[in-house]
Amino acid sequence: MGRVFEGRYIADPQAQQVTVFLIGMRANRWWKIGKTLRTASRMAPMLNYLMQHPESGLLGFHNWGGRTTLLLSYWKSPEHLRRFAADKDAPHLAAWREFMGGIGSGDVGIWHETYSVEAGRMEAVYGDMPKFGLAKAVGHQKITPSTRTAKQRMGLHPIAQGRA
């Protein structure tokens, strides 16, 4: 996972807007392993494509497996995410159409949630951790006396203080 940064860190307070995208699947009928594996296998090509095309707007991601999976990803904007989802030359659209063609069987479920967070409206703290989450996506800084509390960190950006 990487080097552990000892002490307390925050995600870069100068980070601009970020779009948080959560997506996953659930093996509703785990004994139908073929359908589950086929659905799960569609994610790796998408992530490989996004890593090879930084202009797509993906900033970083983490994923977890199990009966219900979770992929946490950070994007430059909702527009970048939508553009990737609709791009006929990217691997998402074909996988989405394939899944939608089989929806209704109940064998495998998929889900996603999207959050667009304005600059100054996010706060992330890491103690004795490798770069992770938002800090891995946008960079991090050691906590200072002026960033010691959540109230201070949330007030670092003029938008958070109502002074756009």
Side-chain angles (χ1 to χ4, degrees):
M1 178 151 199
R3 173 181 161 224
V4 171
F5 290 86
E6 295 177 6
R8 292 180 68 216
Y9 286 78
I10 58 174
D12 182 357
Q14 302 307 314
Q16 298 303 308
Q17 168 184 308
V18 67
T19 297
V20 181
F21 183 63
L22 306 169
I23 189 168
M25 58 165 266
R26 182 176 189 275
N28 293 327
R29 295 185 181 112
W30 54 266
W31 57 90
K32 294 198 173 182
I33 195 72
K35 283 189 172 183
T36 300
L37 291 176
R38 186 169 56 250
T39 302
S41 72
R42 300 308 188 250
M43 188 55 70
M46 287 185 233
L47 294 172
N48 288 333
Y49 175 90
L50 289 163
M51 288 185 288
Q52 293 169 8
H53 295 89
E55 70 280 2
S56 293
L58 179 70
L59 299 172
F61 69 91
H62 298 279
N63 57 358
W64 295 270
R67 182 175 181 182
T68 300
T69 66
L70 168 65
L71 178 99
L72 163 66
S73 60
Y74 301 94
W75 294 74
K76 290 181 181 177
S77 71
E79 292 77 25
H80 282 91
L81 177 59
R82 285 191 293 265
R83 200 173 311 130
F84 167 70
D87 184 348
K88 62 179 174 47
D89 296 324
H92 171 267
L93 196 56
W96 174 247
R97 286 179 176 153
E98 177 185 323
F99 181 82
M100 291 305 289
I103 203 156
S105 72
D107 296 337
V108 179
I110 61 165
W111 63 274
H112 81 259
E113 300 175 5
T114 308
Y115 306 94
S116 185
V117 186
E118 295 177 20
R121 305 273 189 202
M122 59 189 103
E123 188 254 352
V125 177
Y126 310 89
D128 296 336
M129 285 285 294
K131 284 188 179 178
F132 180 82
L134 187 60
K136 186 175 181 183
V138 301
H140 72 178
Q141 296 179 358
K142 197 156 183 69
I143 287 184
T144 66
S146 66
T147 60
R148 193 172 316 241
T149 69
K151 184 177 179 180
Q152 289 169 319
R153 292 187 293 269
M154 291 294 289
L156 285 175
H157 196 280
I159 292 175
Q161 298 170 349
R163 298 181 307 211

